[in-house]
Amino acid sequence: MKSASDFPTINAKIPDGLKEDGSKYRVLLVDDSIFVKKQLQQMLLSQDYEVVDTAADGEEAVAKYKQHYPNIDLVTMDITMPKMDGLTALEQIIEFDRSAKVVMISALGKEELVKKALLLGARNFIIKPLDRVKVLERLASVVKR
Amino acid sequence: MRVEYINPFVESAMSVLKSTVSENVKRGTPKLSTSINNIQGVAIIVGLAGQVSGRVVLDMSEETALNVASSMNGERLDSLDELVSATLTELGNMITGNAITKLHELGFKFDLTPPALFVGDNLRLTDNKIEALVVPLELEEGNLCINVAIKENIYK
Ligand SMILES: [Mg+2]
């Protein structure tokens, strides 16, 4: 009789962070809180994403996006940050690369803010506190589109 | 002071603590406080502006603060270092951010200042003429208080 282990690939879910060719989706992680950075990093690494770089404010985010371009598949963007907020950074990244995939991640979920972000070109809007399953689902839906 | 301003902060504190710290959060009896509050050791302060002025303070002992931050990080943290500070300010961010989202849905326009963290043995917070509502919250990690003081701005 055959056991489940004879079919290792049938039931094994391919991690969200892997492209069809087996390479990793590359993420730029933007948040001014080292707590959130750590939290997101753990979630992303658990699904085999590659965190290419991190940024702690909007200015740094724009600079790092340009520096790594075109080798970034996804940006997670906090909103409330020093120097430059996440919406301004979003605007500048989209101006530089119209097909940039940016997902906002914020503790603020006011309707007008969400609308504004989506209008500026954000692909999704996740409200903190972060639920691991929900975050991974949303990011996968953006990155695989 | 209007209860509809206060409740969203307390409810948001309960739900954020439940999802990030521990399932069992009990709400104690609310008290109106005098203008001076003694802070237990660690305080996270977020200012409110817009239709109102005021502030929200979460305060707790250093031991509770370390327990809370440890639970949120899923690892034991023993000193008030950068990670613990970032964790606690993010807790303040999430609680107030979720609360003002709810308040906006109810038609109240509030804005927030970024959270500030204060640590000290004999901290005192002085508010002139703003009455505060203090709600104790009990967790396995220890007890903390959410302290909300809001004054409506009168426009002429
Ligand atoms: Mg932030």
Side-chain angles (χ1 to χ4, degrees):
Chain A
M1 216 169 79
K2 296 211 172 200
S3 72
S5 60
D6 292 325
F7 307 96
T9 56
I10 293 179
N11 292 317
K13 185 183 170 284
I14 296 163
D16 293 340
L18 295 184
K19 298 178 190 177
E20 269 170 32
D21 65 7
S23 65
K24 295 179 174 191
Y25 285 108
R26 297 152 299 183
V27 184
L28 171 63
L29 205 161
V30 186
D31 203 296
D32 61 330
S33 165
I34 57 167
F35 165 68
V36 180
K37 270 190 195 167
K38 182 176 158 235
Q39 212 184 9
L40 275 171
Q41 207 147 7
Q42 280 169 354
M43 291 179 191
L44 289 165
L45 296 181
S46 77
Q47 287 296 318
D48 289 358
Y49 286 94
E50 181 189 345
V51 177
V52 172
D53 213 333
T54 67
D57 63 66
E59 277 176 23
E60 200 185 351
V62 176
K64 293 219 163 141
Y65 191 87
K66 290 179 178 171
Q67 179 199 325
H68 291 286
Y69 179 83
N71 299 315
I72 289 187
D73 303 299
L74 178 69
V75 182
T76 68
M77 181 75 79
D78 184 22
I79 293 185
T80 312
M81 290 183 292
K83 287 190 208 168
M84 180 194 285
D85 67 67
L87 286 178
T88 311
L90 164 71
E91 208 172 353
Q92 294 191 8
I93 288 174
I94 296 288
E95 211 177 87
F96 172 77
D97 171 17
R98 302 209 58 172
S99 60
K101 290 181 169 178
V102 182
V103 173
M104 309 309 283
I105 300 188
S106 175
L108 291 170
K110 293 184 280 186
E111 206 188 328
E112 63 204 56
L113 194 70
V114 177
K115 274 189 190 155
K116 191 173 173 198
L118 296 178
L119 221 64
L120 287 173
R123 301 295 177 98
N124 212 313
F125 198 112
I126 300 171
I127 297 170
K128 295 172 191 167
L130 301 177
D131 175 75
R132 186 176 176 275
V133 174
K134 220 181 284 172
V135 169
L136 290 172
E137 235 173 57
R138 302 273 189 97
L139 297 184
S141 80
V142 169
V143 99
K144 293 190 189 298
R145 197 172 296 151
Chain B
M1 199 161 51
R2 295 167 64 174
V3 186
E4 59 259 55
Y5 288 160
I6 311 286
N7 272 341
F9 289 99
V10 180
E11 276 159 21
S12 170
M14 300 272 297
S15 79
V16 170
L17 288 168
K18 276 183 190 168
S19 68
T20 62
V21 182
S22 76
E23 292 277 316
N24 293 313
V25 183
K26 273 197 291 191
R27 183 178 175 157
T29 315
K31 297 185 290 262
L32 273 176
S33 93
T34 56
S35 58
I36 296 170
N37 307 294
N38 287 303
I39 302 275
Q40 299 177 52
V42 176
I44 308 153
I45 303 182
V46 178
L48 305 171
Q51 271 184 359
V52 297
S53 41
R55 43 95 192 132
V56 178
V57 182
L58 274 172
D59 86 281
M60 62 198 95
S61 68
E62 191 174 320
E63 191 193 343
T64 303
L66 290 171
N67 289 342
V68 165
S70 297
S71 293
M72 289 176 71
N73 280 283
E75 63 177 291
R76 187 62 218 164
L77 303 169
D78 284 313
S79 66
L80 285 167
D81 59 7
E82 201 193 344
L83 178 60
V84 170
S85 307
T87 307
L88 296 171
T89 47
E90 192 57 31
L91 179 66
N93 238 340
M94 292 189 287
I95 290 174
T96 50
N98 288 193
I100 70 154
T101 300
K102 224 177 284 173
L103 285 160
H104 268 252
E105 284 161 14
L106 298 170
F108 302 114
K109 305 285 179 223
F110 285 43
D111 289 310
L112 296 174
T113 63
L117 187 79
F118 291 89
V119 181
D121 278 337
N122 245 320
L123 285 176
R124 294 190 126 198
L125 184 68
T126 310
D127 275 312
N128 290 324
K129 298 170 205 143
I130 308 187
E131 212 173 25
L133 191 80
V134 184
V135 183
L137 301 171
E138 294 163 23
L139 289 87
E140 283 154 33
E141 283 75 6
N143 296 340
L144 51 96
C145 282
I146 178 166
N147 180 311
V148 187
I150 295 178
K151 193 177 72 178
E152 279 177 322
N153 290 328
I154 300 156
Y155 298 105
K156 289 187 179 159

